[in-house]
Amino acid sequence: MTAKELWDRFAAETGTEAAYDAWAFCGGGEIGDQLAQLTIDGVKTATASPHIAYGLEGVPIPEVGCYSVVEFSNGEAACIIRDTKVSIVPFGAVSAEHAYLEGEGDRSLDYWRRVHKELFLPDHEAAGTPFTEDSLCVLEEFEIVYRP
């Protein structure tokens, strides 16, 4: 089922009239699919992005209440989530609690920092901006509101 098909079903069943985005974690691929599955399983209830990426991609920063259709890399819709908390913090200030909510690896802050530094670096390089502990991150917490 595509993102549009899943959204149309959700909207018809719930009467929700709202905008939504459709995307895959990490842009897709094996890792993105694993993160989508962690979300479906209820393990992953948060995510993070480099703040600088929003300017590079020309997209608005998410807000509480925003809906997203999470996709697998094959374009199949995994689920619909709604943001319950959005914050912008320096990379060095991301909490162990947030790292745990992301549900990745051993769920530790050390793991989160190692992996996300590697993930965020290309966006900073593309913008010609050094990545530091003060580089801003957009942190989202979310809930699943619909599954296929």
Side-chain angles (χ1 to χ4, degrees):
M1 174 178 310
T2 67
K4 182 179 182 336
E5 290 168 338
L6 184 63
W7 181 262
D8 289 347
R9 182 187 290 178
F10 168 70
E13 289 181 18
T14 64
T16 301
E17 295 181 19
Y20 71 94
D21 288 318
W23 46 265
F25 286 109
C26 298
E30 185 178 344
I31 293 172
D33 289 350
Q34 290 170 1
L35 298 178
Q37 190 61 54
L38 286 173
T39 300
I40 291 169
D41 294 343
V43 174
K44 182 173 183 61
T45 60
T47 194
S49 305
H51 184 270
I52 202 163
Y54 291 91
L56 289 171
E57 297 171 11
V59 297
I61 292 171
E63 298 177 355
V64 171
C66 287
Y67 290 94
S68 297
V69 178
V70 176
E71 297 176 301
F72 290 108
S73 56
N74 66 4
E76 182 180 335
C79 62
I80 299 174
I81 60 173
R82 186 179 64 82
D83 281 338
T84 58
K85 182 179 179 182
V86 179
S87 54
I88 299 173
V89 302
F91 183 84
V94 173
S95 70
E97 177 186 3
H98 184 83
Y100 182 84
L101 293 175
E102 287 212 27
E104 301 168 24
D106 65 4
R107 301 180 88 168
S108 70
L109 182 57
D110 287 340
Y111 178 88
W112 185 93
R113 290 174 60 78
R114 187 174 64 254
V115 168
H116 284 78
K117 182 177 182 179
E118 186 177 311
L119 289 172
F120 293 178
L121 195 55
D123 287 314
H124 282 269
E125 289 173 347
T129 304
F131 178 83
T132 70
E133 292 290 306
D134 294 325
S135 296
L136 296 178
C137 304
V138 177
L139 306 181
E140 299 172 70
E141 293 180 26
F142 55 80
E143 63 183 355
I144 293 178
V145 295
Y146 198 77
R147 291 181 172 97

